[in-house]
Amino acid sequence: MRVIRKYANRRLYDTEQSRYVTLEDLRSLVLAEEVFKVEDAKSGEDLTRTILLTIIIEQEQGEGEAEVFSNELLEQFIRIYAMAKPLPLAGYLEQGTRLMMEQQQRMQEQWSQAMRHSPMEMMREVAEENLRFWQQAMGAGKNASRSQPSDADTAPDESDTPPDDERR
């Protein structure tokens, strides 16, 4: 497991790569599904959750980014924390999110498969086949006319000579 140390100056240090990293670097690790742990450099306390929440907050506030958490949803989360016996929400959200991600990936695969065999793609393939056919046909026609002798080069055969009674 990759260990990231957080120092008092709020800098994050990747012990595996021996360099300072940013929250964006950690976001890239999450997207690459690389497992890491963020710990306080002094106390060794696990800060991973706090850092992940910070990454989410930055994404929610970023320009052009899609909002995942509406105000209403965030308010509902706060109400869940205030319950005497909070719901086991984490497991439910993890399973639901995993299912949603799998379905999204399946949809993208099906869409790319469908696009490979779209009507436009099939028409393009037919047009390319037709073009190759005509190029070959035109090329064969040119080659055939070059290889055939002209009328001046051919000697008349019997069918070209008039019958005896016409020659007189």
Side-chain angles (χ1 to χ4, degrees), residues 6 19 33 44 74-75 86 123 125 137 153:
K6 184 173 185 277
R19 69 180 187 95
E33 297 183 21
L74 293 171
E75 290 167 359
M123 286 176 61
E125 289 174 6
D153 295 339

Side-chain angles (χ1 to χ4, degrees), residues 27 54-63 65-67:
R27 179 180 177 271
T54 304
I55 292 170
I56 290 171
I57 290 169
E58 279 196 0
Q59 283 192 240
E60 284 286 316
Q61 293 175 341
E63 285 185 35
E65 297 288 327
E67 280 186 8

Side-chain angles (χ1 to χ4, degrees), residues 156-168:
D157 63 356
E158 291 179 13
S159 63
D160 289 339
T161 59
D164 286 335
D165 57 347
E166 287 181 26
R167 279 189 256 178
R168 295 184 200 147

Side-chain angles (χ1 to χ4, degrees), residues 92-119:
Y92 176 76
L93 288 175
E94 286 171 6
Q95 288 177 345
T97 304
R98 190 175 305 115
L99 177 64
M100 184 182 68
M101 296 285 286
E102 288 170 3
Q103 288 175 344
Q104 177 70 17
Q105 184 176 4
R106 234 176 299 146
M107 287 283 288
Q108 287 176 345
E109 290 168 1
Q110 289 174 351
W111 180 253
S112 66
Q113 185 74 8
M115 289 310 290
R116 274 189 232 126
H117 303 293
S118 70

Side-chain angles (χ1 to χ4, degrees), residues 42-73:
K42 206 177 235 183
S43 67
E45 177 187 0
D46 186 356
L47 302 173
T48 308
R49 235 173 135 258
T50 305
I51 295 299
L52 293 174
L53 287 168
T54 304
I55 292 170
I56 290 171
I57 290 169
E58 279 196 0
Q59 283 192 240
E60 284 286 316
Q61 293 175 341
E63 285 185 35
E65 297 288 327
E67 280 186 8
V68 174
F69 299 107
S70 66
N71 288 345
E72 184 179 335
L73 180 60

